[in-house]
Amino acid sequence: MSDDKTIDGTAREVREPEAAGPASRAVPRRTWVVGAVALPLALGALGLSLAQGTPFQPTPVAPVAIQALAPSGATAIKGEVAEIFGNKFVVQDGTGRALVETGREGEGGGLVAKGETVTVQGRFETGFLHARVLTNGDGRTLLLGPAGGPPTGGLDWAKDRLGLGPKPDMAALTASVQAAGYGDVRVTGRGPRHFEVAAKDRDGREHQLHVGFDGQVRERPVPGLPPL
């Protein structure tokens, strides 16, 4: 992030006060200069460290035929881009067509090209596939939407980006979800101290879960599906 303010570097003579007390002589001017230079450097190093954090990555999902799409927190399709409408585009395969919504990142319509073969993973509801992961024809993979984790700018966010935040045991959390009676566990998002998870019950029905880092599993409604 740039700073538009310019510091005047012109040299000037600074006269010492005629009667300087002990307190004013305690800190040499050189110390203040060094401190003024060191502070921006320290803040810059902190910013670099925060920028080096690893963004959340959803669980990869194998594509399904477009005609088989059903309300789900985590599903995927693969096909050819048939039409583009701003931040939305149509993907078609041999079974049908699906409308994909890409959010703010796709507002310019430049994420995909017409005729390109893409793989899209995300949340399918109310007739839209809300893209979370987009893989272009050249193999580039883009993560769309919020990065997840604590709110940006807070202490928890800074600790998380520096690797000092909570380190959830994914194997243990997956075991907690399975112990609660679910299978086909797919992590779709991350909050400050929880994961958003898509999973299926023993009858193959889709569920969306809120799984705390402490292992607590709570049911969340799936848009487009009637309550059980």
Side-chain angles (χ1 to χ4, degrees), residues 38-203:
L39 180 58
L41 291 177
L43 292 176
L46 176 60
L48 178 62
S49 297
L50 295 179
Q52 291 174 341
T54 301
F56 166 79
Q57 296 289 337
T59 302
V61 177
V64 301
I66 288 177
Q67 71 172 8
L69 279 173
S72 172
T75 189
I77 59 174
K78 182 177 181 179
E80 182 180 293
V81 177
E83 300 176 69
I84 302 174
F85 310 98
N87 70 341
K88 301 177 179 65
F89 59 90
V90 175
V91 175
Q92 63 182 15
D93 64 7
T95 68
R97 293 157 62 99
L99 186 58
V100 176
E101 188 270 332
T102 59
R104 183 178 300 174
E105 291 93 338
E107 287 180 353
L111 291 181
V112 297
K114 189 172 181 179
E116 178 183 14
T117 298
V118 297
T119 301
V120 186
Q121 176 177 325
R123 184 182 76 257
F124 184 71
E125 61 185 34
T126 61
F128 285 84
L129 179 59
H130 300 272
R132 188 74 169 102
V133 183
L134 172 65
T135 303
N136 293 89
D138 59 6
R140 289 180 297 115
T141 297
L142 301 174
L143 184 64
L144 307 176
T152 302
L155 178 59
D156 287 342
W157 173 83
K159 291 168 63 178
D160 192 65
R161 300 294 283 177
L162 288 169
L164 303 177
K167 297 177 175 59
D169 185 336
M170 291 304 301
L173 292 180
T174 300
S176 297
V177 175
Q178 293 172 336
Y182 303 96
D184 191 13
V185 179
R186 291 146 285 151
V187 179
T188 61
R190 185 192 160 180
R193 296 186 178 275
H194 74 277
F195 286 110
E196 302 295 341
V197 172
K200 293 183 179 180
D201 61 22
R202 293 183 177 89
D203 296 323

Side-chain angles (χ1 to χ4, degrees), residues 202-213:
R202 293 183 177 89
D203 296 323
R205 291 174 296 192
E206 181 86 6
H207 296 262
Q208 291 185 15
L209 310 174
H210 180 292
V211 183
F213 290 174

